[in-house]
Coordinates of all heavy atoms in Angstrom, one line a residue:
Chain A
A86 N -60.7 8.1 -69.1 CA -59.8 9.2 -68.6 C -60.0 10.4 -69.5 O -59.0 11.1 -69.8 CB -58.4 8.7 -68.6
G87 N -61.2 10.7 -69.9 CA -61.4 11.9 -70.7 C -61.3 11.6 -72.2 O -61.2 12.5 -73.0
K90 N -61.6 5.6 -75.9 CA -60.4 5.1 -76.4 C -60.4 4.9 -78.0 O -61.3 4.3 -78.5 CB -59.9 3.8 -75.8 CG -59.5 4.0 -74.3 CD -58.9 2.8 -73.7 CE -58.8 2.9 -72.2 NZ -58.0 4.0 -71.6
R95 N -65.2 14.2 -82.6 CA -66.2 14.5 -83.8 C -66.7 13.1 -84.3 O -67.8 13.1 -84.8 CB -65.6 15.3 -84.9 CG -64.5 14.6 -85.7 CD -64.1 15.5 -86.9 NE -62.9 14.8 -87.5 CZ -62.2 15.4 -88.5 NH1 -62.4 16.6 -88.8 NH2 -61.2 14.8 -89.0
D100 N -70.3 10.3 -86.3 CA -70.3 8.9 -86.9 C -71.1 8.0 -86.0 O -72.0 7.2 -86.4 CB -68.9 8.4 -87.1 CG -68.2 9.2 -88.2 OD1 -68.7 9.3 -89.3 OD2 -67.1 9.7 -87.8
Y366 N -64.3 0.4 -94.8 CA -63.2 -0.5 -94.7 C -63.7 -2.0 -94.8 O -64.8 -2.3 -94.4 CB -62.5 -0.4 -93.3 CG -61.9 1.0 -93.0 CD1 -62.5 1.9 -92.2 CD2 -60.7 1.3 -93.7 CE1 -61.9 3.1 -91.9 CE2 -60.1 2.6 -93.4 CZ -60.7 3.5 -92.6 OH -60.1 4.7 -92.3
Y370 N -59.2 -6.0 -94.6 CA -58.2 -4.9 -94.2 C -58.2 -4.7 -92.7 O -57.1 -4.6 -92.1 CB -58.7 -3.6 -94.9 CG -57.8 -2.4 -94.6 CD1 -56.5 -2.4 -95.0 CD2 -58.3 -1.3 -94.0 CE1 -55.7 -1.3 -94.7 CE2 -57.6 -0.1 -93.8 CZ -56.2 -0.2 -94.1 OH -55.4 0.9 -93.9
H373 N -56.2 -7.5 -91.2 CA -54.7 -7.2 -91.4 C -54.2 -6.2 -90.3 O -53.2 -6.3 -89.7 CB -54.5 -6.7 -92.8 CG -53.2 -5.9 -93.0 ND1 -52.0 -6.5 -92.8 CD2 -53.0 -4.6 -93.3 CE1 -51.0 -5.6 -93.0 NE2 -51.6 -4.5 -93.3
E379 N -51.7 -2.5 -85.8 CA -51.8 -1.2 -86.3 C -52.9 -0.4 -85.5 O -54.0 -0.9 -85.3 CB -52.1 -1.1 -87.8 CG -51.0 -1.5 -88.7 CD -49.9 -0.4 -88.8 OE1 -50.2 0.8 -88.5 OE2 -48.8 -0.7 -89.2
Chain B
A76 N -47.4 -0.4 -93.4 CA -48.1 -1.7 -93.7 C -49.5 -1.5 -94.1 O -50.4 -2.2 -93.8 CB -48.0 -2.6 -92.4
G77 N -49.7 -0.5 -95.0 CA -51.0 -0.2 -95.5 C -51.9 0.7 -94.6 O -53.1 0.8 -94.8
K80 N -50.0 5.3 -89.6 CA -50.3 4.9 -88.2 C -51.2 6.0 -87.5 O -50.8 7.1 -87.5 CB -49.0 4.7 -87.4 CG -48.3 3.4 -87.9 CD -47.2 3.0 -87.0 CE -46.2 2.0 -87.6 NZ -46.8 0.7 -88.0
H83 N -57.0 7.8 -90.0 CA -58.0 7.3 -90.9 C -57.7 7.8 -92.3 O -57.2 8.9 -92.5 CB -59.4 7.7 -90.5 CG -60.0 6.9 -89.5 ND1 -60.5 5.6 -89.7 CD2 -60.2 7.1 -88.1 CE1 -61.0 5.1 -88.6 NE2 -60.8 6.0 -87.6
R85 N -59.8 9.0 -94.5 CA -60.5 10.2 -94.8 C -59.8 11.4 -94.1 O -59.9 12.5 -94.6 CB -62.0 10.2 -94.4 CG -62.3 10.2 -93.0 CD -63.8 10.3 -92.7 NE -64.0 10.1 -91.3 CZ -65.2 10.0 -90.7 NH1 -66.3 10.0 -91.5 NH2 -65.3 9.8 -89.4
D90 N -58.3 16.2 -93.9 CA -57.7 17.0 -92.9 C -56.2 17.4 -93.2 O -55.8 18.5 -93.2 CB -57.8 16.4 -91.5 CG -59.2 16.2 -91.0 OD1 -59.9 17.2 -90.9 OD2 -59.7 15.1 -90.8
Y360 N -54.9 19.1 -73.0 CA -55.6 17.9 -73.2 C -54.7 16.8 -73.9 O -54.7 15.7 -73.5 CB -56.9 18.2 -74.0 CG -57.7 16.9 -74.3 CD1 -58.3 16.2 -73.3 CD2 -58.0 16.5 -75.6 CE1 -59.0 15.1 -73.5 CE2 -58.8 15.4 -75.9 CZ -59.3 14.7 -74.8 OH -60.1 13.6 -75.1
H363 N -52.2 15.4 -71.6 CA -52.9 14.4 -70.7 C -53.0 13.1 -71.4 O -52.7 12.0 -70.8 CB -54.2 15.0 -70.2 CG -55.2 13.9 -69.7 ND1 -54.9 13.2 -68.6 CD2 -56.4 13.5 -70.2 CE1 -55.9 12.3 -68.4 NE2 -56.8 12.4 -69.4
E369 N -53.2 7.3 -73.8 CA -54.4 7.1 -74.5 C -54.2 7.1 -76.0 O -53.4 8.0 -76.5 CB -55.4 8.3 -74.2 CG -56.0 8.2 -72.8 CD -57.1 7.1 -72.7 OE1 -57.6 6.7 -73.7 OE2 -57.3 6.6 -71.6

Side-chain angles (χ1 to χ4, degrees):
Chain A
K90 288 187 196 303
R95 72 173 174 191
D100 296 302
Y366 298 108
Y370 180 59
H373 160 64
E379 285 286 340
Chain B
K80 291 189 196 299
H83 278 285
R85 72 172 173 191
D90 296 302
Y360 180 59
H363 161 64
E369 285 286 339

